[in-house]
Amino acid sequence: MASVIPFPLREPQQKETSQTFQPNLNVTLVCPDCRVSPPQIVEEFASGDLVCGDCGLVLGDRIIDTRSEWRTFANDEGDDPSRVGAAANPLLDGNQLDTVISRRDGGTGAAKDLNKVHGRATAVKGERNLVQAYKEISAMCDSISLSKLVSDTTKQLYKRVEDEKLLRGKSSDAIIAACIFIACRQEKVGRTFREICALTRVPKKEIGRCYKSLQSKLQTSTTIMNSEDLMSRFCSNLQLTNYVQKAGIDLVKRAKELGTLAGKSPISVAAACIYLVSYLYRQPKSTRDIAHVAGVSEVTIKSAYKTLYAERENLLDLVSLRAKANGENLSFDDLALP
């Protein structure tokens, strides 16, 4: 089964295909004496022989036992019934079957120096840069609480960019920033350009150039960021309760259906809806707090809120909201005047 290449090119490069050797699967092993088809060949690993199960003729000797060796090679760290090393990392090149010298030797420090020298001698060309980039990606993703799925997707995309040399001349930080942004969009994790810029300290224009270049060269399943994706995180940072968050998401969906905030950015829509529902449920949050969390100006929030306030009766059904838990005595009188 052919392996699937992550993030394939939109226009694959034409490569010369050479005829490779393939085994002839029509050749079968048959006992020369009994010639029974299909043959019953028995592998006796104890004696190392290949024996015909019908007549007992030895067809081969000194065969290799391919089964697992149930021995332990550990010293004092418990049982280790394994004869293989760790699983290969698909994000690195090479066969990854090198011997690694332990760094622990009782405190003399000789093993640590040997490990460092051996690592430099056996390092694969370009692998050190990849490992360093992977460490930076993991640290950045952990700092803004991104899942391991987003981190692994970012690493796959970065390796794809490096293998195909798609962004020649671009800095490593800009490439990492664009890869994180695409991975967030692909996995439907709401992160804004402003947050990626603050995380990687790369200008927004530079991230935009790398993002557009990768979008045109690679097949990615990115989606447009929705306001609903941002609501849960913004409400959590503002310490709003779950029912306020759910009311805000319902308000965003209703505003989209009516086209009340058409043309506004998803961040502005989410911020304005949070401002409205926080006052409606008597958990008011100031525009300054919401602007600090969402990364938009207070003027933008007030402008969008003014439109929502004018259409509040069409957007919110107070009768149904009062029937739900924690919705008693809801009134439009609690809303802040625009």
Side-chain angles (χ1 to χ4, degrees), residues 51-247:
V51 183
C52 176
D54 294 322
C55 64
L57 180 65
V58 177
L59 303 178
D61 56 351
R62 297 183 181 180
I63 62 174
I64 299 175
D65 187 359
T66 58
R67 299 175 300 175
S68 176
E69 296 179 10
W70 295 107
R71 292 177 54 196
T72 176
F73 295 91
N75 294 326
D76 299 326
E77 298 179 0
D79 294 335
D80 181 22
S82 174
R83 64 189 180 101
V84 296
N89 189 351
L91 298 173
L92 298 177
D93 297 323
N95 51 20
Q96 304 175 35
L97 298 177
D98 301 330
T99 301
V100 179
I101 299 177
S102 176
R103 301 171 66 94
R104 295 178 295 180
D105 58 351
T108 62
K112 185 177 180 181
D113 297 336
L114 285 174
N115 178 275
K116 185 182 297 185
V117 173
H118 182 263
R120 291 176 180 176
T122 60
V124 181
K125 183 180 180 180
E127 185 174 305
R128 183 179 302 175
N129 295 334
L130 276 177
V131 172
Q132 183 64 28
Y134 293 158
K135 290 181 180 179
E136 294 181 7
I137 291 172
S138 299
M140 290 180 181
C141 292
D142 291 341
S143 63
I144 57 174
S145 302
L146 291 176
S147 62
K148 189 176 184 300
L149 178 61
V150 176
S151 177
D152 292 343
T153 304
T154 304
K155 294 175 183 178
Q156 284 185 345
L157 180 57
Y158 182 85
K159 186 176 188 302
R160 186 71 174 145
V161 172
E162 289 296 315
D163 291 343
E164 298 293 340
K165 306 296 181 183
L166 299 178
L167 295 177
R168 293 180 180 269
K170 301 293 184 181
S171 65
S172 177
D173 294 337
I175 298 175
I176 291 175
C179 292
I180 293 177
F181 186 75
I182 292 177
C184 290
R185 287 288 183 89
Q186 180 161 318
E187 303 302 334
K188 298 181 181 180
V189 177
R191 290 295 185 273
T192 62
F193 257 120
R194 186 185 296 269
E195 290 176 295
I196 302 299
C197 292
L199 173 67
T200 59
R201 297 180 181 179
V202 178
K204 184 177 179 180
K205 290 184 179 180
E206 189 67 19
I207 300 177
R209 293 191 190 101
C210 296
Y211 171 73
K212 291 181 179 179
S213 178
L214 292 180
Q215 283 287 86
S216 61
K217 295 178 181 178
L218 295 177
Q219 298 179 18
T220 57
S221 57
T222 56
T223 57
I224 300 175
M225 182 175 58
N226 297 321
S227 301
E228 297 92 323
D229 301 333
L230 303 170
M231 290 291 293
S232 60
R233 187 159 50 87
F234 288 171
C235 290
S236 176
N237 293 336
L238 291 169
Q239 297 181 356
L240 292 173
T241 55
N242 292 331
Y243 57 87
V244 176
Q245 173 185 331
K246 188 177 184 303

Side-chain angles (χ1 to χ4, degrees), residues 223-231 247-271 273 307-308 311 314-316:
T223 57
I224 300 175
M225 182 175 58
N226 297 321
S227 301
E228 297 92 323
D229 301 333
L230 303 170
M231 290 291 293
I249 295 176
D250 294 338
L251 178 58
V252 168
K253 294 180 180 178
R254 182 62 177 169
K256 283 186 177 181
E257 292 176 1
L258 299 179
T260 306
L261 295 177
K264 299 287 185 180
S265 67
I267 309 173
S268 304
V269 175
C273 291
T307 307
L308 291 177
E311 297 290 334
N314 297 328
L315 293 172
L316 296 170

Side-chain angles (χ1 to χ4, degrees), residues 264-329:
K264 299 287 185 180
S265 67
I267 309 173
S268 304
V269 175
C273 291
I274 290 174
Y275 185 66
L276 190 147
V277 296
S278 66
Y279 274 89
L280 182 64
Y281 282 87
R282 300 182 181 89
Q283 300 179 20
K285 299 295 179 181
S286 64
T287 54
R288 178 181 298 178
D289 296 336
I290 299 176
H292 177 71
V293 171
V296 294
S297 64
E298 296 183 41
V299 178
T300 304
I301 298 176
K302 291 180 179 179
S303 175
Y305 173 74
K306 185 177 181 180
T307 307
L308 291 177
Y309 185 84
E311 297 290 334
R312 60 187 182 279
E313 295 182 357
N314 297 328
L315 293 172
L316 296 170
D317 186 5
L318 289 183
V319 177
S320 61
L321 291 177
R322 288 168 182 166
K324 297 180 180 179
N326 303 303
E328 300 84 1
N329 302 323

